[in-house]
Amino acid sequence: MRIRPRLPEDLPACVAVLAEVHVADGYPELWQSDSIGWLDPPGTIGAWVAERSDGILGHVSLVADPAGGSTVKLSRLFVAPTAQGRGAARQLIATALSWADARGLDVVLEVYAGTPAVSVYERLGWRFLGSAPAAWLGAHGRRPTLRFYAAPENPSPGTGAGVRMSG
């Protein structure tokens, strides 16, 4: 598996993998009619894919804070169901953190409370900052609770060790 910058021509294949993730894992909770636009929102400053010779396995991006500043959001992280549990998410995160660190950027993220992703981020050393109801409605008209995290200050081995992030 290799991690590389996402290219514009990768977007249709990324959307195909995202569709598999949506069916298998419910992410994203609401499927977007403009899935390419959702995957590549305004403010995206970096995006990477995990791939093997047979295609794209996963994706992650960094999105700038619309208010400016040195904080960016880790976003749109997903791995194909057939590739989960093999380190792709960890490698994608480490690549994004390393890229941000080289530019002096702080990285944060938000995740639905109660999803398996929470334990993944906590296991990787992300620091819990707090929680709040989302500003939007999810499936079935409910307002999900979001948990907010800052990137690890001292990542554990295998999560981008050597990357020092201040949140």
Side-chain angles (χ1 to χ4, degrees), residues 32-106:
Q32 304 297 311
S33 59
D34 178 13
S35 50
I36 287 179
W38 182 86
L39 190 58
D40 190 29
T44 299
I45 60 169
W48 298 267
V49 294
E51 71 176 355
R52 283 189 313 227
S53 60
D54 58 343
I56 290 177
L57 303 174
H59 175 276
V60 71
S61 62
L62 292 173
V63 179
D65 182 344
S70 65
T71 300
V72 297
K73 185 188 301 183
L74 187 89
S75 187
R76 310 312 195 237
L77 174 64
F78 58 88
V79 174
T82 58
Q84 291 175 4
R86 298 183 187 163
R90 181 178 29 83
Q91 289 181 43
L92 284 162
I93 291 168
T95 299
L97 290 179
S98 180
W99 187 91
D101 186 58
R103 288 153 182 81
L105 300 171
D106 298 321

Side-chain angles (χ1 to χ4, degrees), residues 130-150:
S131 62
W136 38 267
L137 297 178
H140 311 295
R142 68 176 181 85
R143 190 171 308 279
T145 298
L146 300 176
R147 291 177 62 91
F148 303 96
Y149 289 86

Side-chain angles (χ1 to χ4, degrees), residues 113-135:
T115 64
V118 169
S119 63
V120 170
Y121 291 121
E122 290 179 351
R123 191 170 48 251
L124 293 175
W126 286 74
R127 295 173 291 125
F128 179 66
L129 301 173
S131 62

